[in-house]
Amino acid sequence: MVLLIAGETHTGKTALAQRLLERYHYPYLSIDLIKMGLIRSGQTELTPEGDEALTQYLWPIVRETVKTAIENGQNLIVEGVYIPFDWEKDFDEEYRREIRYVCLIMTEAYIRSRFGDIRGYAGVIEQRGEDDGLSEEALVQGHRHNLEMCRKYGCEYLLIDGEYRVDLVL
């Protein structure tokens, strides 16, 4: 089985992937690590800020990695913001049966009441650099957009409202 964990920045995708790795012993692939490896090695002219262009660049690589894992009978967790909402169109039914997609989405009320906490938890799994570019309004807009897209494409999502309790049973 392959699990795709999507969502806006600072939603806990990496933390969830780490918990699932520890519980199920499924390896996980961080798309951010691939992104930075390609950028730092000079393999692309893209920058870390170009989300749409990065999705177009990275998704074909991730998509084929997912197919390879399924063909090899390997379990895999893939997490990152660069998974398109219409991901299903890129897989035949035999692959889709082996893939579960979930998007982590915070409500506006959750973001507005806990913005400081959200920023504070940014380094729980990875040691992030400065976070000064993250704004409350941008985060609200990003989550609102992701909810609309999940509904449009019929994607599974976990709505975070109230207490932060994000977990999955595989």
mmCIF file of all heavy atoms in Angstrom, residues 131-167:
data_model
loop_
_atom_site.group_PDB
_atom_site.id
_atom_site.type_symbol
_atom_site.label_atom_id
_atom_site.label_comp_id
_atom_site.label_asym_id
_atom_site.label_seq_id
_atom_site.Cartn_x
_atom_site.Cartn_y
_atom_site.Cartn_z
ATOM 1 N N ASP A 131 11.084 31.154 9.803
ATOM 2 C CA ASP A 131 9.715 30.955 9.354
ATOM 3 C C ASP A 131 8.993 32.279 9.156
ATOM 4 O O ASP A 131 7.780 32.332 9.223
ATOM 5 C CB ASP A 131 9.012 30.142 10.448
ATOM 6 C CG ASP A 131 7.961 29.214 9.913
ATOM 7 O OD1 ASP A 131 7.757 29.192 8.701
ATOM 8 O OD2 ASP A 131 7.340 28.539 10.738
ATOM 9 N N ASP A 132 9.740 33.351 8.943
ATOM 10 C CA ASP A 132 9.163 34.685 8.920
ATOM 11 C C ASP A 132 8.196 34.917 7.761
ATOM 12 O O ASP A 132 7.342 35.780 7.841
ATOM 13 C CB ASP A 132 10.269 35.741 8.881
ATOM 14 C CG ASP A 132 11.113 35.713 10.143
ATOM 15 O OD1 ASP A 132 10.598 35.273 11.182
ATOM 16 O OD2 ASP A 132 12.295 36.112 10.078
ATOM 17 N N GLY A 133 8.295 34.135 6.696
ATOM 18 C CA GLY A 133 7.432 34.334 5.535
ATOM 19 C C GLY A 133 6.038 33.767 5.706
ATOM 20 O O GLY A 133 5.158 34.019 4.881
ATOM 21 N N LEU A 134 5.800 33.006 6.754
ATOM 22 C CA LEU A 134 4.491 32.399 6.976
ATOM 23 C C LEU A 134 3.549 33.413 7.613
ATOM 24 O O LEU A 134 3.821 33.926 8.688
ATOM 25 C CB LEU A 134 4.615 31.175 7.895
ATOM 26 C CG LEU A 134 3.319 30.433 8.176
ATOM 27 C CD1 LEU A 134 2.825 29.732 6.911
ATOM 28 C CD2 LEU A 134 3.518 29.426 9.296
ATOM 29 N N SER A 135 2.440 33.687 6.945
ATOM 30 C CA SER A 135 1.460 34.599 7.516
ATOM 31 C C SER A 135 0.168 33.844 7.818
ATOM 32 O O SER A 135 -0.172 32.866 7.161
ATOM 33 C CB SER A 135 1.165 35.762 6.572
ATOM 34 O OG SER A 135 0.319 35.352 5.516
ATOM 35 N N GLU A 136 -0.530 34.336 8.816
ATOM 36 C CA GLU A 136 -1.802 33.730 9.210
ATOM 37 C C GLU A 136 -2.786 33.759 8.040
ATOM 38 O O GLU A 136 -3.463 32.768 7.754
ATOM 39 C CB GLU A 136 -2.360 34.493 10.412
ATOM 40 C CG GLU A 136 -3.595 33.896 11.009
ATOM 41 C CD GLU A 136 -4.020 34.623 12.274
ATOM 42 O OE1 GLU A 136 -3.157 34.983 13.099
ATOM 43 O OE2 GLU A 136 -5.248 34.838 12.416
ATOM 44 N N GLU A 137 -2.847 34.899 7.362
ATOM 45 C CA GLU A 137 -3.801 35.037 6.263
ATOM 46 C C GLU A 137 -3.483 34.078 5.113
ATOM 47 O O GLU A 137 -4.387 33.460 4.548
ATOM 48 C CB GLU A 137 -3.828 36.485 5.755
ATOM 49 C CG GLU A 137 -5.035 36.807 4.916
ATOM 50 C CD GLU A 137 -6.368 36.495 5.599
ATOM 51 O OE1 GLU A 137 -6.531 36.753 6.801
ATOM 52 O OE2 GLU A 137 -7.258 35.965 4.901
ATOM 53 N N ALA A 138 -2.206 33.946 4.771
ATOM 54 C CA ALA A 138 -1.820 33.024 3.697
ATOM 55 C C ALA A 138 -2.163 31.582 4.078
ATOM 56 O O ALA A 138 -2.614 30.795 3.235
ATOM 57 C CB ALA A 138 -0.330 33.158 3.398
ATOM 58 N N LEU A 139 -1.965 31.244 5.333
ATOM 59 C CA LEU A 139 -2.280 29.895 5.797
ATOM 60 C C LEU A 139 -3.788 29.634 5.711
ATOM 61 O O LEU A 139 -4.218 28.577 5.236
ATOM 62 C CB LEU A 139 -1.773 29.712 7.227
ATOM 63 C CG LEU A 139 -1.461 28.299 7.672
ATOM 64 C CD1 LEU A 139 -0.459 27.612 6.750
ATOM 65 C CD2 LEU A 139 -0.942 28.304 9.099
ATOM 66 N N VAL A 140 -4.588 30.591 6.135
ATOM 67 C CA VAL A 140 -6.046 30.458 6.042
ATOM 68 C C VAL A 140 -6.462 30.263 4.584
ATOM 69 O O VAL A 140 -7.247 29.364 4.262
ATOM 70 C CB VAL A 140 -6.756 31.693 6.655
ATOM 71 C CG1 VAL A 140 -8.235 31.727 6.275
ATOM 72 C CG2 VAL A 140 -6.586 31.697 8.171
ATOM 73 N N GLN A 141 -5.930 31.104 3.693
ATOM 74 C CA GLN A 141 -6.288 31.008 2.279
ATOM 75 C C GLN A 141 -5.853 29.667 1.683
ATOM 76 O O GLN A 141 -6.599 29.044 0.910
ATOM 77 C CB GLN A 141 -5.662 32.166 1.489
ATOM 78 C CG GLN A 141 -6.225 33.520 1.838
ATOM 79 C CD GLN A 141 -7.717 33.616 1.616
ATOM 80 O OE1 GLN A 141 -8.255 33.102 0.651
ATOM 81 N NE2 GLN A 141 -8.400 34.269 2.539
ATOM 82 N N GLY A 142 -4.660 29.201 2.040
ATOM 83 C CA GLY A 142 -4.172 27.923 1.534
ATOM 84 C C GLY A 142 -5.044 26.762 1.970
ATOM 85 O O GLY A 142 -5.369 25.873 1.168
ATOM 86 N N HIS A 143 -5.436 26.755 3.226
ATOM 87 C CA HIS A 143 -6.294 25.675 3.726
ATOM 88 C C HIS A 143 -7.687 25.744 3.126
ATOM 89 O O HIS A 143 -8.289 24.706 2.816
ATOM 90 C CB HIS A 143 -6.347 25.700 5.257
ATOM 91 C CG HIS A 143 -5.113 25.137 5.874
ATOM 92 N ND1 HIS A 143 -4.972 23.802 6.167
ATOM 93 C CD2 HIS A 143 -3.945 25.712 6.224
ATOM 94 C CE1 HIS A 143 -3.782 23.586 6.697
ATOM 95 N NE2 HIS A 143 -3.131 24.739 6.728
ATOM 96 N N ARG A 144 -8.205 26.946 2.957
ATOM 97 C CA ARG A 144 -9.523 27.108 2.320
ATOM 98 C C ARG A 144 -9.478 26.554 0.891
ATOM 99 O O ARG A 144 -10.379 25.820 0.472
ATOM 100 C CB ARG A 144 -9.906 28.588 2.321
ATOM 101 C CG ARG A 144 -11.312 28.845 1.825
ATOM 102 C CD ARG A 144 -11.670 30.324 1.905
ATOM 103 N NE ARG A 144 -11.744 30.735 3.311
ATOM 104 C CZ ARG A 144 -11.366 31.924 3.760
ATOM 105 N NH1 ARG A 144 -10.880 32.829 2.940
ATOM 106 N NH2 ARG A 144 -11.479 32.215 5.045
ATOM 107 N N HIS A 145 -8.422 26.887 0.167
ATOM 108 C CA HIS A 145 -8.256 26.380 -1.198
ATOM 109 C C HIS A 145 -8.164 24.851 -1.214
ATOM 110 O O HIS A 145 -8.800 24.185 -2.034
ATOM 111 C CB HIS A 145 -7.002 26.998 -1.838
ATOM 112 C CG HIS A 145 -6.629 26.373 -3.129
ATOM 113 N ND1 HIS A 145 -7.289 26.648 -4.310
ATOM 114 C CD2 HIS A 145 -5.671 25.456 -3.438
ATOM 115 C CE1 HIS A 145 -6.760 25.941 -5.287
ATOM 116 N NE2 HIS A 145 -5.780 25.209 -4.790
ATOM 117 N N ASN A 146 -7.373 24.289 -0.292
ATOM 118 C CA ASN A 146 -7.215 22.832 -0.258
ATOM 119 C C ASN A 146 -8.533 22.135 0.037
ATOM 120 O O ASN A 146 -8.832 21.094 -0.562
ATOM 121 C CB ASN A 146 -6.157 22.438 0.768
ATOM 122 C CG ASN A 146 -4.753 22.720 0.280
ATOM 123 O OD1 ASN A 146 -4.545 23.174 -0.837
ATOM 124 N ND2 ASN A 146 -3.779 22.469 1.128
ATOM 125 N N LEU A 147 -9.345 22.695 0.917
ATOM 126 C CA LEU A 147 -10.648 22.106 1.215
ATOM 127 C C LEU A 147 -11.538 22.133 -0.027
ATOM 128 O O LEU A 147 -12.193 21.131 -0.352
ATOM 129 C CB LEU A 147 -11.314 22.841 2.386
ATOM 130 C CG LEU A 147 -12.671 22.294 2.837
ATOM 131 C CD1 LEU A 147 -12.584 20.819 3.223
ATOM 132 C CD2 LEU A 147 -13.220 23.134 3.986
ATOM 133 N N GLU A 148 -11.553 23.251 -0.727
ATOM 134 C CA GLU A 148 -12.333 23.350 -1.967
ATOM 135 C C GLU A 148 -11.872 22.316 -2.987
ATOM 136 O O GLU A 148 -12.690 21.664 -3.638
ATOM 137 C CB GLU A 148 -12.209 24.756 -2.559
ATOM 138 C CG GLU A 148 -12.914 25.830 -1.778
ATOM 139 C CD GLU A 148 -12.605 27.228 -2.287
ATOM 140 O OE1 GLU A 148 -11.992 27.381 -3.378
ATOM 141 O OE2 GLU A 148 -12.972 28.196 -1.589
ATOM 142 N N MET A 149 -10.558 22.163 -3.143
ATOM 143 C CA MET A 149 -10.033 21.206 -4.111
ATOM 144 C C MET A 149 -10.322 19.752 -3.711
ATOM 145 O O MET A 149 -10.652 18.922 -4.559
ATOM 146 C CB MET A 149 -8.525 21.402 -4.302
ATOM 147 C CG MET A 149 -8.136 22.705 -4.972
ATOM 148 S SD MET A 149 -8.723 22.835 -6.690
ATOM 149 C CE MET A 149 -10.188 23.815 -6.486
ATOM 150 N N CYS A 150 -10.224 19.461 -2.426
ATOM 151 C CA CYS A 150 -10.554 18.108 -1.969
ATOM 152 C C CYS A 150 -12.008 17.779 -2.263
ATOM 153 O O CYS A 150 -12.330 16.677 -2.721
ATOM 154 C CB CYS A 150 -10.271 17.950 -0.474
ATOM 155 S SG CYS A 150 -8.526 17.723 -0.092
ATOM 156 N N ARG A 151 -12.875 18.731 -2.007
ATOM 157 C CA ARG A 151 -14.296 18.517 -2.293
ATOM 158 C C ARG A 151 -14.539 18.384 -3.793
ATOM 159 O O ARG A 151 -15.319 17.546 -4.230
ATOM 160 C CB ARG A 151 -15.122 19.636 -1.688
ATOM 161 C CG ARG A 151 -15.176 19.544 -0.168
ATOM 162 C CD ARG A 151 -15.925 20.685 0.455
ATOM 163 N NE ARG A 151 -16.085 20.467 1.896
ATOM 164 C CZ ARG A 151 -16.385 21.410 2.752
ATOM 165 N NH1 ARG A 151 -16.569 22.667 2.334
ATOM 166 N NH2 ARG A 151 -16.504 21.136 4.032
ATOM 167 N N LYS A 152 -13.877 19.210 -4.575
ATOM 168 C CA LYS A 152 -14.040 19.161 -6.029
ATOM 169 C C LYS A 152 -13.614 17.808 -6.595
ATOM 170 O O LYS A 152 -14.292 17.244 -7.452
ATOM 171 C CB LYS A 152 -13.224 20.279 -6.688
ATOM 172 C CG LYS A 152 -13.237 20.255 -8.197
ATOM 173 C CD LYS A 152 -12.413 21.376 -8.787
ATOM 174 C CE LYS A 152 -12.409 21.278 -10.314
ATOM 175 N NZ LYS A 152 -11.651 22.385 -10.916
ATOM 176 N N TYR A 153 -12.483 17.286 -6.119
ATOM 177 C CA TYR A 153 -11.941 16.043 -6.668
ATOM 178 C C TYR A 153 -12.309 14.803 -5.854
ATOM 179 O O TYR A 153 -11.876 13.703 -6.181
ATOM 180 C CB TYR A 153 -10.417 16.154 -6.805
ATOM 181 C CG TYR A 153 -10.015 17.090 -7.911
ATOM 182 C CD1 TYR A 153 -9.599 18.385 -7.634
ATOM 183 C CD2 TYR A 153 -10.086 16.695 -9.248
ATOM 184 C CE1 TYR A 153 -9.252 19.256 -8.652
ATOM 185 C CE2 TYR A 153 -9.739 17.553 -10.268
ATOM 186 C CZ TYR A 153 -9.331 18.831 -9.966
ATOM 187 O OH TYR A 153 -8.981 19.698 -10.977
ATOM 188 N N GLY A 154 -13.100 14.975 -4.802
ATOM 189 C CA GLY A 154 -13.520 13.829 -3.995
ATOM 190 C C GLY A 154 -12.385 13.195 -3.215
ATOM 191 O O GLY A 154 -12.391 11.976 -2.989
ATOM 192 N N CYS A 155 -11.433 13.989 -2.794
ATOM 193 C CA CYS A 155 -10.275 13.484 -2.062
ATOM 194 C C CYS A 155 -10.591 13.342 -0.576
ATOM 195 O O CYS A 155 -11.293 14.178 0.001
ATOM 196 C CB CYS A 155 -9.085 14.458 -2.200
ATOM 197 S SG CYS A 155 -8.499 14.686 -3.879
ATOM 198 N N GLU A 156 -10.041 12.320 0.031
ATOM 199 C CA GLU A 156 -10.162 12.155 1.472
ATOM 200 C C GLU A 156 -9.373 13.260 2.162
ATOM 201 O O GLU A 156 -8.268 13.604 1.743
ATOM 202 C CB GLU A 156 -9.613 10.797 1.897
ATOM 203 C CG GLU A 156 -9.689 10.542 3.390
ATOM 204 C CD GLU A 156 -9.098 9.207 3.823
ATOM 205 O OE1 GLU A 156 -8.736 8.375 2.968
ATOM 206 O OE2 GLU A 156 -8.988 9.011 5.040
ATOM 207 N N TYR A 157 -9.935 13.800 3.236
ATOM 208 C CA TYR A 157 -9.219 14.805 4.011
ATOM 209 C C TYR A 157 -9.551 14.644 5.488
ATOM 210 O O TYR A 157 -10.585 14.116 5.856
ATOM 211 C CB TYR A 157 -9.511 16.226 3.533
ATOM 212 C CG TYR A 157 -10.958 16.652 3.604
ATOM 213 C CD1 TYR A 157 -11.476 17.249 4.749
ATOM 214 C CD2 TYR A 157 -11.810 16.472 2.519
ATOM 215 C CE1 TYR A 157 -12.801 17.656 4.810
ATOM 216 C CE2 TYR A 157 -13.130 16.869 2.567
ATOM 217 C CZ TYR A 157 -13.620 17.457 3.708
ATOM 218 O OH TYR A 157 -14.932 17.850 3.770
ATOM 219 N N LEU A 158 -8.612 15.088 6.314
ATOM 220 C CA LEU A 158 -8.804 15.137 7.758
ATOM 221 C C LEU A 158 -8.919 16.602 8.136
ATOM 222 O O LEU A 158 -7.992 17.377 7.912
ATOM 223 C CB LEU A 158 -7.625 14.508 8.494
ATOM 224 C CG LEU A 158 -7.422 13.011 8.310
ATOM 225 C CD1 LEU A 158 -6.167 12.553 9.054
ATOM 226 C CD2 LEU A 158 -8.631 12.234 8.790
ATOM 227 N N LEU A 159 -10.053 16.977 8.685
ATOM 228 C CA LEU A 159 -10.297 18.359 9.063
ATOM 229 C C LEU A 159 -9.849 18.563 10.506
ATOM 230 O O LEU A 159 -10.321 17.887 11.419
ATOM 231 C CB LEU A 159 -11.774 18.695 8.904
ATOM 232 C CG LEU A 159 -12.132 20.170 8.890
ATOM 233 C CD1 LEU A 159 -11.434 20.895 7.730
ATOM 234 C CD2 LEU A 159 -13.639 20.329 8.770
ATOM 235 N N ILE A 160 -8.941 19.483 10.699
ATOM 236 C CA ILE A 160 -8.368 19.771 12.010
ATOM 237 C C ILE A 160 -9.080 20.991 12.564
ATOM 238 O O ILE A 160 -8.939 22.099 12.057
ATOM 239 C CB ILE A 160 -6.842 20.002 11.895
ATOM 240 C CG1 ILE A 160 -6.181 18.773 11.282
ATOM 241 C CG2 ILE A 160 -6.259 20.350 13.258
ATOM 242 C CD1 ILE A 160 -4.810 19.025 10.706
ATOM 243 N N ASP A 161 -9.873 20.758 13.619
ATOM 244 C CA ASP A 161 -10.660 21.813 14.239
ATOM 245 C C ASP A 161 -10.821 21.427 15.701
ATOM 246 O O ASP A 161 -11.217 20.323 16.008
ATOM 247 C CB ASP A 161 -12.023 21.923 13.565
ATOM 248 C CG ASP A 161 -12.823 23.100 14.057
ATOM 249 O OD1 ASP A 161 -12.227 24.109 14.468
ATOM 250 O OD2 ASP A 161 -14.063 23.011 14.027
ATOM 251 N N GLY A 162 -10.507 22.309 16.594
ATOM 252 C CA GLY A 162 -10.527 21.942 18.006
ATOM 253 C C GLY A 162 -9.150 21.457 18.409
ATOM 254 O O GLY A 162 -8.157 22.118 18.170
ATOM 255 N N GLU A 163 -9.084 20.267 18.964
ATOM 256 C CA GLU A 163 -7.808 19.706 19.368
ATOM 257 C C GLU A 163 -7.093 19.095 18.158
ATOM 258 O O GLU A 163 -7.727 18.518 17.295
ATOM 259 C CB GLU A 163 -8.014 18.622 20.425
ATOM 260 C CG GLU A 163 -7.213 18.871 21.678
ATOM 261 C CD GLU A 163 -7.471 17.797 22.709
ATOM 262 O OE1 GLU A 163 -8.572 17.804 23.265
ATOM 263 O OE2 GLU A 163 -6.570 16.972 22.920
ATOM 264 N N TYR A 164 -5.765 19.189 18.158
ATOM 265 C CA TYR A 164 -4.999 18.609 17.047
ATOM 266 C C TYR A 164 -4.820 17.118 17.317
ATOM 267 O O TYR A 164 -3.986 16.713 18.125
ATOM 268 C CB TYR A 164 -3.636 19.290 16.903
ATOM 269 C CG TYR A 164 -2.894 18.835 15.658
ATOM 270 C CD1 TYR A 164 -2.983 19.561 14.482
ATOM 271 C CD2 TYR A 164 -2.133 17.677 15.650
ATOM 272 C CE1 TYR A 164 -2.329 19.161 13.339
ATOM 273 C CE2 TYR A 164 -1.477 17.262 14.514
ATOM 274 C CZ TYR A 164 -1.588 18.004 13.359
ATOM 275 O OH TYR A 164 -0.938 17.596 12.223
ATOM 276 N N ARG A 165 -5.635 16.324 16.653
ATOM 277 C CA ARG A 165 -5.557 14.867 16.771
ATOM 278 C C ARG A 165 -5.538 14.291 15.369
ATOM 279 O O ARG A 165 -6.592 13.982 14.821
ATOM 280 C CB ARG A 165 -6.728 14.313 17.544
ATOM 281 C CG ARG A 165 -6.680 14.650 19.001
ATOM 282 C CD ARG A 165 -7.731 13.893 19.757
ATOM 283 N NE ARG A 165 -7.632 14.203 21.167
ATOM 284 C CZ ARG A 165 -8.621 14.162 22.005
ATOM 285 N NH1 ARG A 165 -9.806 13.800 21.589
ATOM 286 N NH2 ARG A 165 -8.445 14.453 23.276
ATOM 287 N N VAL A 166 -4.373 14.166 14.815
ATOM 288 C CA VAL A 166 -4.238 13.655 13.462
ATOM 289 C C VAL A 166 -3.573 12.290 13.536
ATOM 290 O O VAL A 166 -2.452 12.168 14.015
ATOM 291 C CB VAL A 166 -3.410 14.617 12.577
ATOM 292 C CG1 VAL A 166 -3.142 14.006 11.227
ATOM 293 C CG2 VAL A 166 -4.142 15.936 12.430
ATOM 294 N N ASP A 167 -4.303 11.287 13.078
ATOM 295 C CA ASP A 167 -3.762 9.931 13.049
ATOM 296 C C ASP A 167 -4.522 9.147 12.000
ATOM 297 O O ASP A 167 -5.650 9.499 11.644
ATOM 298 C CB ASP A 167 -3.906 9.270 14.421
ATOM 299 C CG ASP A 167 -2.940 8.096 14.598
ATOM 300 O OD1 ASP A 167 -2.041 7.926 13.738
ATOM 301 O OD2 ASP A 167 -3.103 7.367 15.579
#
